[in-house]
Amino acid sequence: MNPKPFLFILSLIFLLNTTVNVNAASFSVGGGVGVGVGIGGGNGDAGGGWVGGGVSYPNPTTRGPSNLKNAYTALQAWKTAIRSDPKGLLNSWVGSNVCGYKGVFCADPSDEMGDPSEPVVAGIDLNHGNLEGILVKELSLLTDLTLLHLNSNRFTGTIPLLNDLFALTELDLSNNQFTGPFPITVLQVPNLLYLDLRFNSFSGPIPQDLFNKNLDAIFLNNNFFSGQIPQNLANSPASVINLANNKLTGAIPVNFGYSSPKLKEILFLNNQLSGCIPQGIGMWSDVQVFDASFNSLMGHLPDTLSCLEDIEVLNVAHNKLSGELPDLVCELRSLLKLSVAYNFISGFSQQCAKLYDKNVGLDIALNCIPGLQMQRPEPDCDSVPGGGLSCLRIPSVRPLACGTLLQSLNSSAP
């Protein structure tokens, strides 16, 4: 791989981080593991890390002599469409020197022969600006733009067509006031890796094409998306997918787990999901956060959860799950938090009790476990929801070893 594009991205991020004081969670580089991806968040702060998957950056576009002129045209058109600027961020957006505009960052890339070329507008960061306005179609003139970070403003309207922005890898529109259906135009950005639409008022179904894109981070939480999760969820190569706090219904796709091994964090919490936790979850041996709490999931916990050797947070609280809490799940070596509270779990072994001695945050309250305190009243446990539900488990006299089980799952994968 040509190292110049990668070095160009790194130099831009260094410039951004050393020039302005911004929320550290708004920047990301491939590699490393992010934390705090908005689990149960509702304060409108679109913080959170990107779990970098180490995907390749695109080559910069071929630059012509009029790129800064085009940038001036685009930024001035956008300035006129901003109705309120209470912090005065755009007071410096005067004159043709766009590299001096506040929140606009230029870089000096070299051409293929190593000769210096004119600066280009490579990044825009107006996070937490409280700007009110719309995005204009002239933004498509910013063909060298790599980062567009606009979280925590009051932008409304539609997302313009940005398919000419071949260099754009990060688009953060979180915590604004966008409404309407999923903005299909963002899926037409050719080399986008990071998509953040959190804390808006988008509604309607999530398009299937989203999970066919080469995105490394997908944040859709805290909107009003509805309908079923697309069946091609497993196609996504993303390392983090956050669908929390929406109005999604139906079951988690049955092929969930037969996907890219890069997945680190997946969040379904606080939707209206039903059905079973798919057995294929055990295929994600590297996943660190799985949160499907506050739904209506039923059936038994799959034994394949024991294959999640790197899992740190496993939260299935506030569902309608039943059966026993498997010993193998309680033996997971990396667990920091395990919550099955507010379900109908009926069995709890001494192996699971040992988690208290390991300083693991175990919450098993309000289930149906005889002899334990803080459980459901007996009448609540007489009729277990989903008692006749078939979860299509692979039958076994005893729990299968992960390797054997994963081979069985692979042979039956759709």
Side-chain angles (χ1 to χ4, degrees):
M1 183 184 73
N2 185 352
K4 291 182 180 178
F6 181 71
L7 294 175
F8 171 63
I9 298 289
L10 288 180
S11 62
L12 171 61
I13 293 175
F14 176 78
L15 175 64
L16 287 167
N17 280 310
T18 54
T19 306
V20 292
N21 181 21
V22 297
N23 183 349
S26 66
F27 294 102
S28 48
V29 185
V33 176
V35 295
V37 290
I39 300 177
N43 61 359
D45 188 344
W50 174 18
V51 182
V55 286
S56 299
Y57 290 99
N59 290 323
T61 58
T62 301
R63 300 174 179 87
S66 61
N67 277 19
L68 286 181
K69 182 178 179 181
N70 285 342
Y72 173 77
T73 300
L75 295 175
Q76 288 301 313
W78 191 16
K79 180 182 178 181
T80 62
I82 294 177
R83 298 182 295 272
S84 175
D85 178 16
K87 296 184 178 180
L89 295 181
L90 307 186
N91 289 345
S92 63
W93 287 29
V94 178
S96 60
N97 181 22
V98 295
C99 296
Y101 290 6
K102 189 169 185 178
V104 176
F105 301 91
C106 292
D108 294 297
S110 297
D111 63 23
E112 292 299 320
M113 301 300 295
D115 297 324
S117 56
E118 71 168 355
V120 297
V121 173
I124 295 177
D125 187 301
L126 298 174
N127 287 348
H128 301 278
N130 200 23
L131 298 169
E132 179 184 359
I134 62 172
L135 307 184
V136 296
K137 67 180 187 303
E138 286 84 0
L139 291 174
S140 64
L141 296 173
L142 300 172
T143 54
D144 294 285
L145 196 66
T146 301
L147 315 173
L148 180 57
H149 291 169
L150 303 177
N151 83 53
S152 304
N153 286 285
R154 290 176 288 152
F155 287 113
T156 58
T158 58
I159 314 300
L161 196 62
L162 302 174
N163 57 331
D164 289 333
L165 303 189
F166 284 90
L168 188 65
T169 59
E170 298 189 21
L171 179 60
D172 183 356
L173 302 177
S174 59
N175 197 23
N176 278 282
Q177 297 175 6
F178 292 109
T179 60
F182 185 97
I184 296 296
T185 51
V186 302
L187 300 183
Q188 298 172 6
V189 180
N191 294 299
L192 194 65
L193 302 178
Y194 175 98
L195 176 63
D196 194 342
L197 302 178
R198 289 178 285 182
F199 295 99
N200 280 286
S201 296
F202 291 116
S203 59
I206 296 173
Q208 181 171 309
D209 197 33
L210 172 66
F211 299 116
N212 291 330
K213 298 297 181 181
N214 190 37
L215 291 166
D216 192 48
I218 301 172
F219 293 99
L220 303 186
N221 54 290
N222 296 81
N223 279 282
F224 298 96
F225 290 117
S226 59
Q228 296 192 1
I229 299 172
Q231 292 300 306
N232 67 333
L233 171 67
N235 291 356
S236 176
S239 55
V240 56
I241 300 175
N242 193 338
L243 306 179
N245 302 317
N246 280 289
K247 296 185 175 183
L248 299 171
T249 57
I252 298 173
V254 69
N255 61 353
F256 172 75
Y258 303 101
S259 63
S260 168
K262 294 189 300 183
L263 187 72
K264 300 292 185 184
E265 304 184 10
I266 179 82
L267 295 97
F268 298 112
L269 70 137
N270 197 24
N271 279 284
Q272 300 166 21
L273 300 176
S274 56
C276 305
I277 297 176
Q279 195 167 17
I281 185 175
M283 298 288 286
W284 276 329
S285 56
D286 293 331
V287 74
Q288 296 177 348
V289 176
F290 176 81
D291 193 331
S293 58
F294 291 92
N295 283 287
S296 296
L297 299 172
M298 299 181 185
H300 296 185
L301 290 169
D303 285 336
T304 51
L305 287 172
S306 63
C307 300
L308 304 181
E309 295 183 351
D310 292 333
I311 192 78
E312 297 177 2
V313 177
L314 178 56
N315 189 353
V316 292
H318 292 269
N319 279 286
K320 300 177 181 179
L321 299 166
S322 56
E324 295 188 358
L325 182 60
D327 282 354
L328 292 174
V329 173
C330 296
E331 293 174 354
L332 289 167
R333 63 187 183 188
S334 300
L335 263 182
L336 299 177
K337 175 183 178 181
L338 172 60
S339 180
V340 294
Y342 291 86
N343 280 288
F344 293 84
I345 302 296
S346 57
F348 178 72
S349 72
Q350 289 302 313
Q351 189 63 44
C352 292
K354 293 178 182 178
L355 291 178
Y356 293 114
D357 299 329
K358 298 179 181 179
N359 294 320
V360 173
L362 175 64
D363 189 353
I364 199 166
L366 290 169
N367 278 281
C368 298
I369 303 175
L372 282 188
Q373 297 181 344
M374 297 183 64
Q375 298 297 294
R376 290 181 181 273
E378 259 187 61
D380 289 0
C381 299
D382 290 341
S383 178
V384 176
L389 182 67
S390 172
C391 289
L392 300 177
R393 305 294 190 216
I394 296 176
S396 177
V397 177
R398 59 186 177 82
L400 295 169
C402 285
T404 305
L405 186 53
L406 295 184
Q407 288 175 7
S408 301
L409 288 171
N410 274 323
S411 64
S412 62

